[in-house]
Amino acid sequence: MELVIQQRQELKMLMTVQLRQSIELLQYSNDDLEQFIRQQELENPLIELQEKADDQYVEKLPMYTFSNHSRKETSDITHKDEIDFRDYLYKLVKLNFNDDYIQKQLKYIIYNLNDQGYFQTDYIHTTSETKEITEGIQLLQQIGPSGIGARTLEECLTLQARDRYPEHQQLTILINEHLSLLADKKWQVIANKMHISLSEIKECNDLIKTLNPKPCAVMSHETTEYLRPDIIVEEHNNQLLFHLNDTYLPNIQLNSFYMNLPTANRDEKKYINEHYKNYNWLINSIEQRRNTIIKIMQVLLEKQQEFFLKGFSALQPLTLKEVAEAIEMHESTVSRATTNKFVQTPIGTFELKNLFTSKLETKDGHTISQERVKTLLQELIAGENKIKPYSDQKMAEYFNSEYGITISRRTINKYREEMRIPSASKRKEL
């Protein structure tokens, strides 16, 4: 075997640190971008930030004429306060029970509650310990929401039923012995086992619906979370216009002191030149990100004009690839530029990604968006006869005959599960 030395020329594409950061910048929201800019100021002495005035001019971008339409409002964006209800409950225990043993007993139960209010622990208790826990749960009902501390769903609902409807014995029997049959809507089977009429089962079922399977849900506090959108679409004189909500971002300026600092040291010159290149890269990357988002929004306002007026029911089929072709960019670039972005519109605030949806073909050669099909599906189920609800197959046949949409039973099932709509057997009412 002969060893030889060969010289070969190859072309390789290497991703530099700055190229990788440019790609990441596309995915940043405006808030993320602000943090990144301020971090760059700390690392680069040539970068000097100047805060903008609150009343600085905002550039409004392309307008589209439209006629007035009714608006469909969206729900508020909410979040739960980070308040531990367990600490609150234990304070109530100390206020209501003076006995140290009871306080210790209830403390053990309270700090083993899950977020829904159920007592859960991996520790295997003895018979006497289980009896003490049961007694503690009974005491906990005096100060906490009814049903709190229960170990099972049946126990949770039973505690509430005894509290609210103490005279209704059939209700507690139904919960304890036949709750799974009730969930499967096996009413006739329950009637035969309990020797009662269907009307009595319906009465019990209606009462169970008034109970809360998650007792600690009443102790959570929801407040409105004010989300700062990245893009704002506005209505002005029957026209739609948009602008990027980045006026609060600081202006990036070059610190001339270091640029004009005389130096004969080669390392110092190299240091200054490298940071000057980083400064130029930051300016160019931010501008490129901004221009990309503007181009995407121009296409969205043109293609999805009805959405900005009526909501998701009017969302047109539009893919990332189609937008990429319209602005002559790669699909991955559009995907990154629309990630982590929120757009505020006259009908609500939405994630920018939600404006893209795949399409289904109709018999006449037209297309319809998945979101539109989901809206039609919701309307169909809302208007169905609840005594005999539509099966997935029946709804697929309905879409085919009424709208010419070829859709399978499995797709109907998928959309229904995405919207958290139960199956026909679960929607059936007595």
Side-chain angles (χ1 to χ4, degrees), residues 212-312:
N212 184 6
K214 299 178 181 180
C216 279
V218 298
M219 301 186 69
S220 64
H221 304 281
E222 289 193 346
T223 57
T224 302
E225 178 182 1
Y226 294 96
L227 180 72
R228 181 152 55 182
D230 301 277
I231 305 139
I232 297 177
V233 177
E234 297 176 325
E235 169 189 344
H236 182 68
N237 295 333
N238 285 346
Q239 291 179 321
L240 284 177
L241 59 152
F242 76 93
H243 65 270
L244 304 190
N245 188 28
D246 57 2
T247 55
Y248 63 91
L249 296 180
N251 287 322
I252 304 173
Q253 296 181 337
L254 182 64
N255 190 326
S256 57
F257 172 78
Y258 288 100
M259 288 300 298
N260 299 326
L261 191 65
T263 176
N265 189 296
R266 179 180 298 179
D267 292 337
E268 291 179 357
K269 287 183 178 180
K270 182 180 178 182
Y271 177 83
I272 295 295
N273 289 336
E274 286 180 355
H275 282 82
Y276 181 66
K277 289 179 181 178
N278 291 338
Y279 162 81
N280 285 324
W281 164 82
L282 181 63
I283 296 293
N284 294 333
S285 296
I286 292 175
E287 187 62 22
Q288 185 178 14
R289 170 189 175 275
R290 194 172 192 276
N291 291 334
T292 301
I293 297 174
I294 289 173
K295 289 179 181 179
I296 292 172
M297 280 305 302
Q298 288 172 339
V299 175
L300 287 176
L301 252 67
E302 179 182 355
K303 301 290 186 181
Q304 299 289 14
Q305 182 174 336
E306 288 297 305
F307 163 80
F308 292 108
L309 306 176
K310 300 177 182 178
F312 282 100

Side-chain angles (χ1 to χ4, degrees), residues 180 182-185 187 389 421-429:
S180 60
L182 187 67
D184 293 333
K185 308 212 171 181
W187 297 303
I421 298 175
S423 61
S425 61
K426 302 291 185 183
R427 299 198 307 272
K428 189 175 182 180
E429 293 183 0

Side-chain angles (χ1 to χ4, degrees), residues 31 77 224-229 245 342-344 349-351:
D31 289 343
I77 300 173
T224 302
E225 178 182 1
Y226 294 96
L227 180 72
R228 181 152 55 182
N245 188 28
F342 284 84
V343 54
Q344 177 182 304
T349 300
F350 309 95
E351 193 171 1

